[in-house]
Amino acid sequence: MNENLFASFMVPMTLGIPITTLIIMFPTMLFPTPNRLINNRMITIQQWLTKLTSKQLMVTHNPKGQTWSLMLISLFLFIASTNLLGMLPHSFTPTAQLSMNLGMAIPLWAGTVFIGFRNKTKMSLAHLLPLGTPTFLIPMLVMIETISLFIQPLALAVRLTANITAGHLLLHLIGSATLALMNINLFTALITFIILTLLVILEFAVALIQAYVFTLLVSLYLQDNT
């Protein structure tokens, strides 16, 4: 029970060298490139899920927005696989690091905003001032809308980080409580273990849902600017 709760979120080191880059590259091995005329079941399921997710994300986009489909699907697969790998025992979850999530959110958000100001300058500027605003409120509302615009990538990163971190901490606390209760009350420990099992299933769902939400919000930002 004296174990540091945040030990699993520390960057792993080998010989004093961080191996985060290798961990981030590992999920790409889960999606092999098919080189056969007839694929096996695993690759077929992966391709079906990829097409289904791509259809859900890009159905409302115009042809300019649909050019981002490959990037958005790659983003979804990367976040989902990284989150799921973080559920393995004694593993490291890169998406629990705010710096990494900001590194994904800021460039994608900046790209959508840049496209909006380049292709639809007047409409992008019009978003900073709602229609029918009283004259004396214009400076305040422009400032508020500008701040809300720049908060979008921070909200993206914080949402993903908070959900992944909170889930892992809750699993760690309940798992530690289950081990401690085994020597005190076996029946209570059994109930706690059942709760822990249900939370593990929920956390697997959260790992996929948060990847989809992150990608969906980037897709919505892109839709507003194309």
Side-chain angles (χ1 to χ4, degrees):
M1 295 295 290
N2 294 326
E3 183 182 354
N4 184 7
L5 291 176
F6 296 93
S8 59
F9 301 105
M10 297 176 62
V11 177
M13 308 284 286
T14 299
L15 300 176
I17 302 173
I19 58 174
T20 310
T21 304
L22 296 177
I23 297 175
I24 293 174
M25 294 173 60
F26 181 73
T28 58
M29 300 173 60
L30 301 177
F31 303 99
T33 303
N35 53 7
R36 297 180 180 178
L37 183 62
I38 300 178
N39 298 323
N40 57 29
R41 291 185 179 90
M42 181 177 179
I43 295 180
T44 302
I45 293 174
Q46 288 178 355
Q47 291 178 344
W48 176 76
L49 290 175
T50 301
K51 291 180 181 178
L52 180 64
T53 307
S54 177
K55 183 178 179 181
Q56 293 293 328
L57 289 174
M58 310 308 297
V59 66
T60 58
H61 284 272
N62 56 26
K64 287 184 179 179
Q66 290 177 358
T67 58
W68 281 53
S69 58
L70 181 59
M71 181 181 296
L72 292 179
I73 289 300
S74 301
L75 177 68
F76 170 75
L77 292 176
F78 172 73
I79 297 177
S81 57
T82 305
N83 290 346
L84 292 176
L85 287 174
M87 293 296 298
L88 297 176
H90 305 288
S91 61
F92 173 72
T93 310
T95 48
Q97 305 293 320
L98 182 60
S99 57
M100 175 178 170
N101 296 334
L102 283 174
M104 292 189 295
I106 292 177
L108 291 170
W109 167 83
T112 59
V113 172
F114 176 77
I115 289 176
F117 276 99
R118 188 184 66 175
N119 297 333
K120 301 190 302 182
T121 306
K122 292 183 178 180
M123 188 174 295
S124 298
L125 292 175
H127 287 164
L128 301 178
L129 184 63
L131 185 64
T133 303
T135 305
F136 65 94
L137 290 179
I138 289 178
M140 183 181 299
L141 285 180
V142 170
M143 185 181 302
I144 292 174
E145 292 295 330
T146 304
I147 293 174
S148 66
L149 179 65
F150 283 96
I151 284 178
Q152 287 178 353
L154 181 62
L156 269 179
V158 170
R159 180 185 294 107
L160 180 58
T161 304
N163 281 280
I164 298 301
T165 304
H168 282 62
L169 286 177
L170 188 59
L171 291 177
H172 180 84
L173 289 172
I174 296 181
S176 300
T178 303
L179 290 176
L181 288 171
M182 288 181 64
N183 298 324
I184 301 175
N185 190 323
L186 191 59
F187 179 73
T188 307
L190 179 61
I191 296 177
T192 311
F193 179 75
I194 294 174
I195 296 174
L196 178 63
T197 304
L198 295 176
L199 280 175
V200 169
I201 298 174
L202 178 63
E203 192 64 20
F204 273 105
V206 169
L208 295 175
I209 291 172
Q210 288 304 315
Y212 183 76
V213 168
F214 189 97
T215 311
L216 179 62
L217 289 175
V218 174
S219 176
L220 292 177
Y221 297 156
L222 177 64
Q223 182 181 350
D224 293 337
N225 290 281
T226 54

